[in-house]
Amino acid sequence: MICVSIGRGRHQHVIAEHRHLVDQGAKLVELRLDYIDGEVNLKRLVANRPCAVVISCRRECDGGKWTGSEDGRLTLLRTAIAKGVEYVDLEDDIAAGIPRFGTTKRIISAHDFRKTPDDLQAVHRRLAGLDPDIIKICTMANHPHDNLRILQLMCQSKVPTIGLCMGDIGIPTRILAGRFGAPFTYATFHHERALAPGQLSFHQMTEAYHYDRINPRTEVYGVIADPIGHSLSPLIHNTAFAHLNLDKVYIPIRVLREDLSRFINEAPELGIKGLSVTIPHKEAVLAKLTEADGAVRGIGAANTLIFDGKARRGYNTDYRAAMSSLEAAIGAEEKGERPLDGKTVLVLGAGGVGKAIAYGLLRRGAKVVLTDGVPRHATELAERFNCHSVQWSARHAVSADLLINCTPVGMHPNVDESPYEQHHLRPSMIVFDAVYNPENTLLIKHARSRNCTVVTGVDMFVRQACLQFKLFTGQEGLADLMRDVIKRAIGAARY
């Protein structure tokens, strides 16, 4: 179950949002009394409530907005209990002074906005001694290991426990809470009005992650990156899982460089069966593989990781997806089996995607020229692949048949940037931008205005996702469904 937090300044807005959420399927909401401007009319808020409520009134030290007297706050909480609300949230330092009464269940909570304490078990034992029906512990995640500790704490607890890590790194705990035994998790009414760091909206939890389908047997997949917020991979994979009624969930996982090795070691303990790997981990993850396919060894980067017992198998679906996207644009059927043979291709960017695409191009007989904003990245990759490189400032001097952008230039939110000047584009060129959000990057717009043949990042993204989906599930990826979902998501993000 999902408890949706409502924090509004006016009573009428709280009541309206409460009713709207129930219409959308919510079964439990948290009414944050500390957000109410002026005097709180508790009777008005709970008298005809359309579903069960949790009453909370947070002080500023607990991440809330209450600025009134402490006596006034405690009176509100006691009044909520007297009125028979379903749950009341009591911080650990006041719980002993507010006795149990009637049918109201007690959530005894503790918050740490800086870290996940080393003595997590001791914190839990202390809360368990305060007559809780539910224990709630919210901490700040500074490392992915904090997520594992919180989730395992819930799983091992004899008292129903909600354990959540805050911040971007802590998002997995919000999605996987039910899998590890939490009676419910928390979400916000709207993603732009999160009441705690890293909190997802009710819509995201239900539509993107299908939270109520998650159970202790659900297999976990995800994407690891830093940063992570831009990824649309969870949306398309979870949509495909739900369409095929597969008991799987795909989550975003922010992993810092220094945490990668430990995270890979601990991933199976989170129920993780497979991972998409992106910036900045595609090269570093190779050190953690027990097996790698030929493409991974040739490219020196992996974008897919499968856990099978003690085996960790690495794959690269980027290069196959990019090559099939290009060959479709060129018309491989009409041009023969090697449509890229002899073509001069300027590849902008020598990172993980650039390596994969350059590898695929060279295997298909193309003449590859590499360039990168960090010159040594291009020169080192050119030496390794036995191809050419040029300085970034000299990229426009290359007479290329194909131009491929493998940099993040033009990616949301920096949509007014292009890695290549418009007047250097020629109508005979094929222009491929690996950026998929937005699909119509400034480079793609410029290429269309010059009558170039274009390949967008959406096509490559969907193709590589389909290849990953087959590695994750053994079933063919749902390309049309994925393409429709990503286009709608990108379109919605523009408004």
Side-chain angles (χ1 to χ4, degrees):
M1 185 164 56
I2 301 169
C3 179
V4 190
S5 301
I6 300 177
R8 297 301 300 271
R10 301 181 65 180
H11 292 77
Q12 66 187 54
H13 294 156
V14 174
I15 294 168
E17 287 191 3
H18 192 170
R19 290 173 178 164
H20 175 77
L21 284 165
V22 171
D23 290 341
Q24 299 299 308
K27 297 179 176 61
L28 178 64
V29 302
E30 178 188 35
L31 303 184
R32 287 288 299 270
L33 304 186
D34 50 301
Y35 275 73
I36 298 288
D37 297 329
E39 185 176 352
V40 177
N41 186 337
L42 188 59
K43 180 179 179 180
R44 183 180 175 189
L45 294 177
V46 304
N48 297 303
R49 56 189 180 276
C51 77
V53 298
V54 176
I55 294 296
S56 303
C57 191
R58 296 267 183 249
R59 299 163 295 196
E60 291 179 318
C61 64
D62 296 310
K65 298 182 67 174
W66 180 258
T67 57
S69 70
E70 181 65 358
D71 285 344
R73 189 177 79 96
L74 297 180
T75 296
L76 278 175
L77 295 170
R78 290 190 180 101
T79 302
I81 295 172
K83 289 187 177 298
V85 300
E86 287 75 18
Y87 298 92
V88 65
D89 189 318
L90 306 173
E91 295 87 359
D92 54 339
D93 62 325
I94 67 166
I98 299 181
R100 180 182 294 278
F101 178 79
T103 60
T104 300
K105 293 185 177 180
R106 293 159 55 91
I107 301 173
I108 310 302
S109 62
H111 300 77
D112 191 323
F113 290 88
R114 296 185 301 107
K115 64 185 185 306
T116 299
D118 293 335
D119 59 342
L120 202 54
Q121 295 286 350
V123 173
H124 189 272
R125 285 194 297 271
R126 175 166 54 81
L127 298 180
L130 295 171
D131 190 24
D133 292 289
I134 296 174
I135 294 172
K136 179 185 174 189
I137 300 178
C138 294
T139 68
M140 182 60 69
N142 295 310
H143 308 280
H145 180 65
D146 295 334
N147 296 330
L148 179 62
R149 293 175 58 216
I150 281 284
L151 292 170
Q152 288 182 333
L153 178 75
M154 287 194 293
C155 189
Q156 296 163 1
S157 174
K158 294 180 180 179
V159 179
T161 298
I162 301 167
L164 300 174
C165 283
M166 295 178 282
D168 288 348
I169 293 176
I171 286 175
T173 63
R174 298 183 180 276
I175 302 169
L176 298 179
R179 188 183 188 277
F180 285 82
F184 50 85
T185 190
Y186 283 77
T188 187
F189 178 80
H190 190 276
H191 70 276
E192 293 181 350
R193 288 200 274 117
L195 275 63
Q199 194 174 49
L200 301 172
S201 72
F202 181 65
H203 179 79
Q204 288 172 310
M205 291 289 282
T206 55
E207 299 300 316
Y209 297 105
H210 308 282
Y211 179 84
D212 288 334
R213 294 167 52 101
I214 299 172
N215 63 78
R217 297 172 301 282
T218 300
E219 291 184 353
V220 182
Y221 299 82
V223 53
I224 58 171
D226 182 27
I228 193 64
H230 67 280
S231 179
L232 293 177
S233 293
L235 180 62
I236 64 170
H237 281 287
N238 285 324
T239 299
F241 289 159
H243 185 82
L244 295 175
N245 199 32
L246 301 176
D247 190 9
K248 305 176 189 292
V249 65
Y250 185 108
I251 64 175
I253 310 169
R254 184 182 174 207
V255 178
L256 309 180
R257 289 178 186 269
E258 60 268 26
D259 293 326
L260 178 64
S261 179
R262 184 173 190 175
F263 171 77
I264 296 298
N265 290 341
E266 295 178 345
E269 296 182 65
L270 292 169
I272 291 175
K273 298 292 185 180
L275 291 169
S276 304
V277 183
T278 187
I279 298 172
H281 302 307
K282 291 186 177 183
E283 294 87 1
V285 78
L286 267 62
K288 303 301 296 182
L289 302 179
T290 60
E291 301 175 30
D293 70 1
V296 169
R297 293 192 297 271
I299 296 165
N303 77 327
T304 310
L305 178 57
I306 301 297
F307 295 88
D308 184 9
K310 294 183 178 180
R312 296 192 287 259
R313 301 190 180 98
Y315 303 87
N316 193 302
T317 66
D318 279 337
Y319 102 92
R320 292 186 179 91
M323 294 306 102
S324 61
S325 296
L326 279 173
E327 289 167 352
I330 294 172
E333 300 83 6
E334 293 81 12
K335 302 291 183 179
E337 295 182 357
R338 295 177 65 85
L340 297 169
D341 198 2
K343 301 287 187 182
T344 299
V345 187
L346 176 62
V347 177
L348 308 177
V353 174
K355 287 180 180 180
I357 290 179
Y359 172 84
L361 291 167
L362 290 166
R363 285 174 61 89
R364 284 156 176 78
K367 300 174 182 177
V368 174
V369 181
L370 296 165
T371 187
D372 193 280
V374 181
R376 65 179 179 83
H377 290 172
T379 55
E380 290 173 0
L381 186 60
E383 289 176 4
R384 178 181 168 188
F385 282 175
N386 193 27
C387 63
H388 297 287
S389 67
V390 297
Q391 293 291 314
W392 182 257
S393 59
R395 64 193 184 280
H396 298 106
V398 177
S399 181
D401 301 302
L402 286 82
L403 171 70
I404 305 180
N405 176 39
C406 300
T407 76
V409 178
M411 181 184 294
H412 179 81
N414 302 312
V415 297
D416 295 324
E417 300 177 6
S418 173
Y420 198 84
E421 294 178 13
Q422 181 178 8
H423 66 274
H424 287 285
L425 296 169
R426 305 186 313 278
S428 60
M429 293 175 70
I430 296 172
V431 177
F432 175 17
D433 196 338
V435 170
Y436 69 83
N437 186 14
E439 179 177 16
N440 291 310
T441 61
L442 188 58
L443 175 60
I444 290 295
K445 291 176 182 177
H446 286 168
R448 286 198 169 109
S449 73
R450 303 284 286 183
N451 295 317
C452 302
T453 299
V454 303
V455 182
T456 73
V458 166
D459 190 50
M460 174 183 167
F461 182 75
V462 169
R463 290 173 187 264
Q464 68 84 22
C466 285
L467 292 169
Q468 286 187 331
F469 190 84
K470 187 165 186 179
L471 290 169
F472 292 157
T473 69
Q475 301 186 44
E476 296 296 331
L478 307 177
D480 291 341
L481 176 66
M482 290 181 173
R483 185 173 289 105
D484 179 61
V485 167
I486 192 172
K487 283 179 175 285
R488 283 192 283 111
I490 291 171
R494 294 165 54 192
Y495 301 102

